[in-house]
Amino acid sequence: MSSTEQTLSIIKPDAVERNLDREIKEIFNTNGFKIFKEKKIQITKAEAEQFYKVHETKPFYNDLCDYLSSGPIVVMILEKENAVLANRELMGATNPKDAKEGTIRKKFGISIDKNSVHGSDSVENAKIEINFFFKD
Ligand code: CMP
């Protein structure tokens, strides 16, 4: 039996700044994702720290939180069968240099920090991340 799954996607400041949000949403649509909810927001550094709490011991944590709060982002709930995995495949490797041809990060990513999109890495984290941005 198959069922629709939800995942959280973020179009990061580097992509929003370059006005790529419409094009990236179109890529999700043409790959069979339904954008169930979306909003364009700017978060505070404290909110970014909360969102990326799993990375708090990593050396890149501070820069990562500065970066995510540096400009507008688009947060979306994406729906599709196996959405978490399908989104990770469509995004490509975290470092755009390692991302495969045809992936969003290969096409638009600038660096490991400015890698244009975030996606939940598990079904469990997808629920936590969706709740973080869409509590209401
Ligand atoms: P994202 O999928 O949003 O999750 C955490 C982010 O940390 C990741 O994308 C990268 O943009 C960023 N990052 C910076 N340095 C590293 C690193 N060495 N390993 C993994 N992620 C990193």
Side-chain angles (χ1 to χ4, degrees):
M1 218 189 73
S2 62
S3 61
T4 300
E5 196 172 272
Q6 291 187 333
T7 191
L8 185 92
S9 171
I10 303 177
I11 304 177
K12 295 188 180 184
D14 67 276
V16 175
E17 189 178 57
R18 287 176 287 155
N19 293 312
L20 294 170
D21 40 324
R22 219 175 53 142
E23 197 172 340
I24 291 175
K25 284 193 273 180
E26 195 55 38
I27 292 173
F28 286 124
N29 283 323
T30 54
N31 281 274
F33 289 90
K34 181 181 168 205
I35 300 173
F36 176 62
K37 283 188 185 174
E38 65 168 288
K39 58 184 179 185
K40 192 176 191 174
I41 54 172
Q42 182 160 0
I43 60 172
T44 63
K45 184 165 182 191
E47 287 168 327
E49 286 169 348
Q50 189 60 35
F51 178 74
Y52 275 133
K53 202 163 173 51
V54 289
H55 295 299
E56 71 181 331
T57 59
K58 311 269 174 61
F60 55 83
Y61 180 62
N62 188 55
D63 286 350
L64 176 62
C65 297
D66 273 338
Y67 170 60
L68 195 72
S69 56
S70 69
I73 57 174
V74 176
V75 290
M76 297 171 287
I77 300 175
L78 302 181
E79 286 185 345
K80 188 184 166 153
E81 225 173 90
N82 297 316
V84 172
L85 187 63
N87 182 36
R88 290 179 68 73
E89 284 176 2
L90 185 57
M91 287 192 300
T94 306
N95 191 338
K97 274 195 252 168
D98 303 326
K100 285 191 198 137
E101 213 56 59
T103 63
I104 294 173
R105 284 168 170 164
K106 173 74 180 179
K107 193 164 184 199
F108 301 119
I110 296 169
S111 65
I112 194 162
D113 301 300
K114 297 185 173 182
N115 62 355
S116 303
V117 282
H118 166 84
S120 309
D121 65 359
S122 66
V123 174
E124 193 190 349
N125 281 336
K127 288 183 183 139
I128 294 168
E129 292 183 353
I130 286 168
N131 193 47
F132 183 87
F133 284 112
F134 297 96
K135 266 193 268 308
D136 38 349

